[in-house]
Amino acid sequence: MMDFIRKASPFGQLAILLGLMSVCYLGYSVVMLMVFPAISGGYTVMHAQDPAVMAIPSVASAFRIMQFFYTFWLFLVPGFLFAWAMGRPGQFLGLKRNIPFLQLILALLILLCSLQLVAASAEWNKAIPLPQRFHDMEKMQEKLTKYLVQMDDSWSLVRNLFLMALMPAIAEEVFFRGCMQPLIQKLLRNAWLGVIVTAILFSAFHFQFLTFLPRVVLGFAIGAVFLVTGNLWLAIAAHFLNNGMQVVLFYLYQNKLISKDPSADETVPLYLAIFSAVITGLLIWRLQQRAKQAGYNWKTALAGPKN
């Protein structure tokens, strides 16, 4: 079976990866429909769609547990199973590499400098006419997030950093950048187009279309980090920084340590968005140079077998 997967075409391997994801999602859905009432105090998932029910502590706690297993089963498990089937999973995923300090700093700077472009793309996204059901889905997600990020003490901050920042960063990077991106690059025979398409799929799989474009921009920035370094730890670090900053800002705002609401809309001038894009591009180029000096050439690595 593993030999069959290794010898399959890039399209076949991508289909197998998505098939593993579908099977894991089906198993997760069945289990959580049975388990959710037991951990929420008797409320079903359908009952929990009511904002008044969402606010109940036991229901919010159940959603946190549900979110952890959703991320674990939907992304991490199929990603590692696929990497294991391809042989030498650590090497396949780009996890058997050290973390050069300067490359880490550049990866984090790439993420930080892209944020103005991300914010601008969020404004552009709002100008796109979308069906009302997408707006309803987004409002429901915003209400759920509001209860999930309630943090009254340092323990709740640590808990949310793990559940909403670290776990998604590891699981999603394993699946999207470690597994999916190289397959799409081979399928399209174009590395940078593969980064873009993977970023689009990364955003689409979140099913939040009112924030589709900013997630594509983030996905591209993180995908570029992985492409030019072949180091998934750097992509995970950048992803964690983005998620972790949001969690920390919500904590500071809720505890009245800052006055600006992190969820408030932000207007970004076009010139600042362009400047953000240019600086991000230059930093990606510089990271590529550092990786090359350290012995990693992404063009050569991409041309060889990734197994």
Side-chain angles (χ1 to χ4, degrees):
M1 181 63 179
M2 289 188 291
D3 194 49
F4 169 77
I5 295 174
R6 292 186 195 121
K7 291 181 179 179
S9 66
F11 180 82
Q13 290 175 343
L14 182 60
I16 291 168
L17 176 65
L18 295 175
L20 285 171
M21 181 193 206
S22 300
V23 171
C24 288
Y25 176 73
L26 180 61
Y28 159 83
S29 300
V30 172
V31 170
M32 288 313 299
L33 282 174
M34 295 186 296
V35 170
F36 192 86
I39 60 178
S40 66
Y43 296 97
T44 66
V45 175
M46 292 302 295
H47 290 149
Q49 303 305 308
D50 184 341
V53 176
M54 280 183 192
I56 299 172
S58 62
V59 174
S61 178
F63 269 121
R64 290 189 187 98
I65 296 171
M66 186 175 176
Q67 182 183 35
F68 170 81
F69 283 105
Y70 177 85
T71 305
F72 181 82
W73 281 104
L74 197 66
F75 300 120
L76 193 62
V77 170
F80 267 113
L81 284 176
F82 183 82
W84 175 73
M86 292 295 287
R88 294 179 290 175
Q91 182 175 331
F92 176 84
L93 291 170
L95 291 172
K96 275 199 169 182
R97 301 178 66 85
N98 59 5
I99 308 177
F101 179 73
L102 286 178
Q103 290 188 37
L104 174 62
I105 295 301
L106 283 168
L108 299 181
L109 284 174
I110 287 168
L111 187 283
L112 290 172
C113 289
S114 71
L115 292 181
Q116 291 300 316
L117 179 59
V118 170
S121 65
E123 293 183 68
W124 304 335
N125 205 144
K126 290 176 183 176
I128 301 174
L130 293 170
Q132 184 58 42
R133 65 178 179 276
F134 289 159
H135 291 268
D136 295 338
M137 288 168 58
E138 195 77 15
K139 287 179 181 177
M140 182 63 67
Q141 183 61 40
E142 287 175 1
K143 290 175 182 176
L144 177 58
T145 301
K146 175 184 175 182
Y147 295 115
L148 293 181
V149 297
Q150 287 296 323
M151 294 171 281
D152 301 321
D153 51 37
S154 55
W155 157 245
S156 59
L157 171 61
V158 172
R159 177 197 63 202
N160 278 356
L161 281 172
F162 174 75
L163 291 176
M164 307 182 78
L166 182 60
M167 186 64 188
I170 295 173
E172 292 176 9
E173 291 313 307
V174 163
F175 185 86
F176 287 103
R177 252 61 66 173
C179 294
M180 182 180 283
Q181 182 169 298
L183 296 179
I184 292 178
Q185 287 168 337
K186 289 181 180 179
L187 184 63
L188 299 177
R189 298 182 181 181
N190 186 302
W192 288 103
L193 183 57
V195 173
I196 294 170
V197 172
T198 304
I200 291 171
L201 291 173
F202 167 72
S203 185
F205 273 64
H206 283 78
F207 297 101
Q208 293 175 271
F209 297 102
L210 269 66
T211 52
F212 183 83
L213 288 180
R215 199 171 282 106
V216 170
V217 175
L218 282 170
F220 176 81
I222 297 171
V225 167
F226 181 58
L227 170 64
V228 301
T229 64
N231 193 330
L232 196 66
W233 292 118
L234 298 180
I236 289 171
H239 196 145
F240 174 74
L241 176 63
N242 177 70
N243 293 1
M245 282 193 307
Q246 295 178 51
V247 172
V248 170
L249 287 173
F250 272 109
Y251 173 79
L252 295 175
Y253 177 72
Q254 290 169 10
N255 289 274
K256 304 188 186 305
L257 297 173
I258 59 172
S259 57
K260 183 180 178 182
D261 185 350
S263 62
D265 294 335
E266 181 180 357
T267 300
V268 178
L270 180 59
Y271 75 87
L272 198 53
I274 295 172
F275 182 71
S276 172
V278 171
I279 295 300
T280 300
L282 289 173
L283 287 170
I284 292 171
W285 173 81
R286 183 56 186 152
L287 178 60
Q288 173 187 314
Q289 296 301 307
R290 291 295 309 182
K292 193 172 183 179
Q293 290 169 14
Y296 183 83
N297 186 318
W298 67 267
K299 294 180 181 179
T300 304
L302 204 63
K306 191 175 188 289
N307 53 43

